[in-house]
Amino acid sequence: QVQVVESGGGSVESGGSLRLACVVSGNIFSVKDMNWHRQAPGKRRELVAEINRGQTKYADSVKGRFTISRDRNTVYLQMNSLKPEDTARYFCECTVEIYTDGLGSYDERFWGQGTQVTVAS
């Protein structure tokens, strides 16, 4: 089994900062790309930041304010200069390589349950 657990959400004032963390654990051989998505009420889920082999990408709406980083099987999202429009539930998503006897290795995508970020104006 693979577990993906986010933490670090909360309520802040506009202009404040939060640091989200996501830990991937369980029966895994390796973790490949790790990404942060968010979904606000009534809106589609959007990709906020990605990190893959050290390369990072950001949505235009968060460039210059958010920073994604990774330490082994943990991915972080440092969020600065937060705005009310950043209010959403933030989800960690990752591609995990799983190895099983007889089947060899294969990739599977996993999602966490999310952590709520609320930015007051």
Side-chain angles (χ1 to χ4, degrees), residues 5-102:
V5 180
E6 303 100 332
S7 63
S11 297
V12 295
E13 297 289 321
S14 181
S17 298
L18 283 173
R19 189 189 195 208
L20 308 182
C22 170
V23 179
V24 182
S25 62
N27 184 26
I28 56 178
F29 186 70
S30 69
V31 181
K32 294 186 173 181
D33 59 293
M34 303 181 81
N35 311 300
W36 285 99
H37 301 250
R38 68 184 180 188
Q39 186 167 22
K43 294 189 177 180
R44 297 178 65 179
R45 188 172 294 189
E46 65 169 331
L47 177 60
V48 174
E50 326 170 41
I51 186 165
N52 188 3
R53 297 182 181 181
Q55 300 296 311
T56 60
K57 291 179 65 175
Y58 298 91
D60 288 342
S61 58
V62 306
K63 279 181 183 176
R65 299 187 299 120
F66 289 12
T67 303
I68 188 171
S69 61
R70 177 177 172 177
D71 180 9
R72 297 187 180 182
N73 294 345
T74 300
V75 64
Y76 302 95
L77 187 67
Q78 178 67 44
M79 306 185 295
N80 298 328
S81 302
L82 282 162
K83 305 175 181 180
E85 50 264 44
D86 295 318
T87 295
R89 191 163 186 85
Y90 285 71
F91 297 88
C92 176
E93 173 254 323
C94 60
T95 302
V96 174
E97 184 179 17
I98 298 172
Y99 181 84
T100 59
D101 291 338

